Amino acid sequence: MAKARPGQITFGCAGNGSGSHLAGELLSTMAGVKMNHVPYKGDAPSLTDVLGQQINVALPTSLAGMPQVKSGKLRALAVTSKTRLPSLPDVPTVDEALGISGYEAVSWGGFMVPSGTSQAIIAKMNSEFNKALQDPEVRDKLMAQGAQIAGGTPEAFNALLRAEVSKWKRVADSAKVRLD
């Protein structure tokens, strides 16, 4: 539909330069389509405008969009992860829905400490965070909201962080994203 109507499809995001803005720009680039970006001050206002048919689509986090999808008010067209979400098993990935191989735009969280923090403290904190992520009650609550549990080492998180910064910098530069 977007290819047939270049520049006429609007996508809402959580703000100029936000992860959802960059996710939409990456989708536009990889799909070879032009979509119009509409920035909001958070996911909730963009979802309100999708519901009110003021914009065509929004790219919220699963945490923000899940209640509207589960209630039947919104229809999830695709998830932006490489694999389907266990909490939305019937919703295809962007690759499955649109045939855009390699597309991935996920929000993630992690714990950071000031530079110079001792390795012993980092190791202890990492161990405790990984234990908490394995707690069934914690896992169930996070997964019910659309989260996928990762955990891991500080080194792996550092590598992910560096790769993500590099990837999204390229997307922002290519799309000429400027912060207000």
Side-chain angles (χ1 to χ4, degrees):
M1 177 168 64
K3 283 187 179 183
R5 297 173 46 202
Q8 294 179 31
I9 302 297
T10 53
F11 79 92
C13 76
N16 210 22
S18 67
S20 54
H21 177 192
L22 297 177
E25 297 294 353
L26 180 63
L27 182 63
S28 288
T29 299
M30 291 182 76
V33 299
K34 170 66 177 137
M35 296 192 301
N36 285 326
H37 164 241
V38 181
Y40 288 85
K41 292 185 179 186
D43 283 327
S46 71
L47 291 170
T48 298
D49 275 4
V50 170
L51 287 166
Q53 299 180 2
Q54 303 301 313
I55 59 173
N56 301 109
V57 297
L59 291 122
T61 63
S62 58
L63 179 65
M66 189 74 69
Q68 301 292 349
V69 171
K70 292 285 186 181
S71 73
K73 291 179 181 174
L74 285 178
R75 179 174 166 223
L77 300 177
V79 295
T80 60
S81 52
K82 285 186 179 180
T83 59
R84 291 183 182 207
L85 295 178
S87 54
L88 295 170
D90 296 330
V91 179
T93 65
V94 167
D95 184 8
E96 293 171 322
L98 301 174
I100 302 173
S101 179
Y103 180 89
E104 181 180 33
V106 295
S107 59
W108 48 265
F111 297 95
M112 299 179 192
V113 296
S115 297
T117 302
S118 79
Q119 287 301 314
I121 291 173
I122 291 171
K124 177 66 175 168
M125 290 175 71
N126 181 255
S127 174
E128 293 302 318
F129 290 136
N130 279 314
K131 271 191 227 174
L133 290 173
Q134 295 308 313
D135 179 272
E137 186 177 345
V138 171
R139 288 183 70 81
D140 290 348
K141 283 183 180 178
L142 290 171
M143 291 178 74
Q145 296 175 13
Q148 293 181 301
I149 310 300
T153 67
E155 296 78 16
F157 180 56
N158 189 40
L160 170 72
L161 183 60
R162 290 181 186 282
E164 287 284 282
V165 167
S166 176
K167 171 184 176 176
W168 296 114
K169 182 182 183 323
R170 286 190 309 273
V171 172
D173 289 347
S174 173
K176 296 178 180 46
V177 172
R178 300 290 176 253
L179 300 179
D180 296 334

